[in-house]
Structures are given as structure tokens and as C-alpha cells.
């Protein structure tokens, strides 16, 4: 059994995709130990509660300063003893201590084909606004391991999505979520749980 902790900040549609695949039996031997959000109003927390999954809020507002918050987040994660940490729309910069303690055991879903439209400031709708502004014909999503950089860790899976002539950022975001994010994230978790993902020279080999 692979125990995962899912870190969220928003509506939780990527979390929902993981829950749905576990519940329909296509994502095997994976258990969500807890969902943790920095945002007490995150819809993702409600989704977790609806499915009987531990849902915690670890908010910077509840700590005296940043180091205290980061310590609280690390403790909340460690208390769940996860095998894998999944960032599903988590908008907080992960503390270095967590990245080093969970080296090669943290993955993130990014709504573009990395290395395009990623890095500092590229999250949520902004990613799709930039893709439309650049006029690319294809975008997509990427699941990658998290390292000390921003969206710079070894890529695990990618899936392309076509951009259509009248796309708005919102329409494009939804298509990328439906056609790519919600497919890739559970698939990547399944591959890792099955021990099929190897990291060599900052790239991955999927067996
Ligand atoms: C999505 O746009 C995803 O690409 C990005 O953050 C957002 C999360 O959405 N990582 P949700 O909270 O999973 O619905």
C-alpha cells in the first residue's frame, strides 16, 4: 500500500480525480492518508470530508511567523508518515526542509508542457493566458518530481492538449484539466506506487 498526502489550495478537482480513480478501482494500492490545505476555504477540503478523508488546514495565518508555519506544515505531513506527497494545486512555496526530507517523493501537476510556461509566477490561469498570448497551437500538462527549483524537477508524464481558435484562458484551463491533469496525476501516482518510475540524471525512466 502506498500512503499519500495531498497538498491543496483550491477547488480540488485534481484531488477529486485521485479519489475517483481509487474508488473505481483503477488506482490500486494507494491510500490518501490526509489532505492538507493552507487555505481554510479550499473546496478541496470539502471534497476530502465528503469521502471520509482526513482534511487539515495548516494556514500561515495561524502561526506567528513563516518559520513557525513551515515547521507546522512539516509536522502535519510527518504525522501522516506518507510514502509520497502530491501537490495538487498547492500554491505555497514548499519549504526546503520538506523537499530534502522527502527527496524524490514529492510530485506536482503543472498545467503546461514544461519547460514552456512554467517557473516563478506561472500558476493557475496565468499559465493559459501566456500560452494564448504566445499563440502556441498545443499546450497540455506535466507531472514532475519536485526539487529545490520551481517546476524544475524530473518530468514523469506529459499530455498534449490542442488550443482552439476561440479559446479563452478559462475554456483552455478547463480543457487542460479534463483532458490532461485529471488523467496524468492518478496515472503518475499509480506508476510510482507500482515502483515503475526510476530517476536517472534528472530524467525519469518509466518501466
Ligand atoms: C489547476 O489549474 C492545476 O493545473 C494547478 O492548480 C489548479 C488546481 O486546481 N496545479 P484544483 O484545485 O485541482 O481544481
Amino acid at each position: 500500500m502506498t500512503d499519500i498526502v495531498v497538498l491543496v489550495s483550491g477547488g480540488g478537482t485534481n484531488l477529486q480525480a485521485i479519489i475517483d480513480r481509487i474508488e473505481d478501482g483503477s488506482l490500486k494500492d494507494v491510500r490518501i492518508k490526509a489532505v492538507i490545505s493552507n487555505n481554510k476555504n479550499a473546496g478541496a477540503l470539502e471534497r476530502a470530508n465528503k469521502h471520509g478523508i482526513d482534511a487539515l488546514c495548516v494556514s500561515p495565518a495561524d502561526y506567528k511567523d513563516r518559520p513557525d508555519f513551515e515547521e507546522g506544515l512539516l509536522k502535519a505531513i510527518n504525522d501522516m508518515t506518507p510514502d509520497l506527497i502530491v501537490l495538487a494545486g498547492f500554491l505555497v512555496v514548499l519549504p526546503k526542509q520538506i523537499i530534502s526530507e522527502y527527496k524524490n517523493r514529492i510530485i506536482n501537476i503543472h498545467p503546461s508542457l514544461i519547460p514552456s510556461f512554467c517557473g516563478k509566477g506561472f500558476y493557475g490561469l496565468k499559465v493559459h493566458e501566456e500560452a494564448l498570448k504566445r499563440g502556441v497551437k498545443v499546450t497540455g500538462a506535466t507531472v514532475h518530481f519536485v526539487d529545490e527549483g520551481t517546476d524544475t524537477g524530473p518530468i514523469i508524464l506529459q499530455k498534449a492538449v490542442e488550443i482552439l481558435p476561440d479559446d479563452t484562458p478559462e475554456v483552455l484551463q478547463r480543457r487542460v484539466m479534463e483532458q490532461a491533469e485529471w488523467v496524468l496525476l492518478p496515472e503518475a501516482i499509480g506508476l510510482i506506487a507500482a515502483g515503475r518510475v526510476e530517476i536517472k540524471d534528472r530524467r525519469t525512466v518509466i518501466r
Side-chain angles (χ1 to χ4, degrees):
M1 182 63 74
T2 296
D3 285 338
I4 70 174
V5 164
V6 185
L7 305 188
V8 295
S9 298
T13 62
N14 278 285
L15 166 69
Q16 190 64 55
I18 301 167
I19 292 170
D20 292 348
R21 295 297 72 76
I22 290 173
E23 292 187 352
D24 73 17
S26 56
L27 181 50
K28 300 185 186 339
D29 302 326
V30 172
R31 172 172 52 192
I32 303 175
K33 287 292 284 299
V35 172
I36 300 175
S37 181
N38 61 302
N39 167 13
K40 67 180 184 312
N41 301 316
L45 292 176
E46 280 163 50
R47 292 178 191 267
N49 285 322
K50 271 198 201 121
H51 291 267
I53 299 167
D54 268 0
L56 324 172
C57 177
V58 179
S59 164
D62 299 335
Y63 293 84
K64 65 178 176 7
D65 54 30
R66 193 75 191 179
D68 225 27
F69 161 70
E70 293 185 352
E71 193 183 323
L73 181 61
L74 177 60
K75 183 177 179 328
I77 292 170
N78 284 343
D79 286 354
M80 298 296 162
T81 60
D83 302 301
L84 179 69
I85 298 172
V86 178
L87 308 186
F90 191 59
L91 297 179
V92 169
V93 175
L94 218 48
K96 288 194 177 359
Q97 193 181 351
I98 295 178
I99 293 171
S100 59
E101 280 197 30
Y102 289 89
K103 186 169 171 50
N104 296 334
R105 292 198 292 151
I106 308 171
I107 63 173
N108 179 52
I109 176 82
H110 182 77
S112 77
L113 296 175
I114 289 175
S116 298
F117 311 113
C118 67
K120 281 196 184 1
F122 282 90
Y123 57 87
L125 220 43
K126 163 94 175 161
V127 174
H128 305 292
E129 287 165 357
E130 291 304 311
L132 290 170
K133 204 186 291 179
R134 182 63 185 82
V136 294
K137 300 305 178 185
V138 171
T139 185
T142 302
V143 184
H144 62 94
F145 284 106
V146 173
D147 64 7
E148 315 67 41
T150 306
D151 304 327
T152 52
I155 290 170
I156 304 167
L157 293 174
Q158 294 188 299
K159 193 168 190 298
V161 173
E162 195 185 5
I163 291 181
L164 301 176
D166 303 326
D167 274 347
T168 63
E170 292 77 7
V171 166
L172 180 56
Q173 177 178 52
R174 184 76 193 183
R175 187 179 313 121
V176 168
M177 288 169 119
E178 285 172 349
Q179 294 185 10
E181 297 179 40
W182 300 345
V183 173
L184 290 183
L185 195 51
E187 187 180 340
I189 295 167
L191 288 170
I192 292 168
R196 293 181 50 197
V197 182
E198 215 181 296
I199 299 179
K200 280 167 81 170
D201 309 327
R202 297 188 52 72
R203 291 187 295 277
T204 65
V205 176
I206 312 284
R207 302 236 173 259

